[in-house]
Amino acid sequence: MAMLVGGKTNKLGDIIPVEQAHENIFGYVMMNDWSARDIQKWEYVPLGPFLGKSFATTISPWVVVPEALEEFKETIPTRAPLPYLSDPNPFVYNIPLEVYLRDL
């Protein structure tokens, strides 16, 4: 899942605190970062993957607004991230997903 940023703006260089980040999310899309495994395997030695990891990225043709996902919100166990990443109300979206593939 990827976020589209929009809505409330800030001045260039101003920090957006984690607890206010949700105010800057316009919506969510499904995203797939495709990998070309054959290229990745070939180029991996000696320096690691390069273009095989940046083969292609696609997003869904629809945008889901945050309000539509409210019923899927769940709290997560607290953990100790770096101080600037700490959020007083951490959550995740628990969204059941089914995929059907058809033979062309």
Side-chain angles (χ1 to χ4, degrees):
M1 192 156 75
M3 294 177 273
L4 300 176
V5 178
K8 188 176 177 184
T9 60
N10 63 311
K11 291 182 183 176
L12 183 62
D14 283 355
I15 294 172
I16 299 172
V18 171
E19 59 272 4
Q20 294 175 6
H22 67 278
E23 297 172 11
N24 296 278
I25 297 172
F26 168 72
Y28 297 89
V29 294
M30 293 295 295
M31 185 184 96
N32 194 354
D33 180 16
W34 301 87
S35 293
R37 299 284 183 204
D38 53 344
I39 296 171
Q40 189 176 345
K41 183 178 178 183
W42 177 80
E43 68 184 5
Y44 200 81
V45 178
L47 300 174
F50 295 109
L51 296 177
K53 285 301 283 180
S54 63
F55 184 70
T57 302
T58 55
I59 63 171
S60 60
W62 58 90
V63 177
V64 179
V65 294
E67 295 79 12
L69 297 175
E70 282 298 313
E71 67 182 271
F72 299 102
K73 261 188 182 178
E74 291 185 3
T75 57
I76 58 175
T78 57
R79 56 183 191 268
L82 296 170
Y84 70 95
L85 294 175
S86 182
D87 186 348
N89 301 307
F91 68 90
V92 295
Y93 290 116
N94 186 3
I95 302 171
L97 180 65
E98 292 184 26
V99 177
Y100 297 94
L101 300 175
R102 63 184 176 103
D103 197 8
L104 297 176

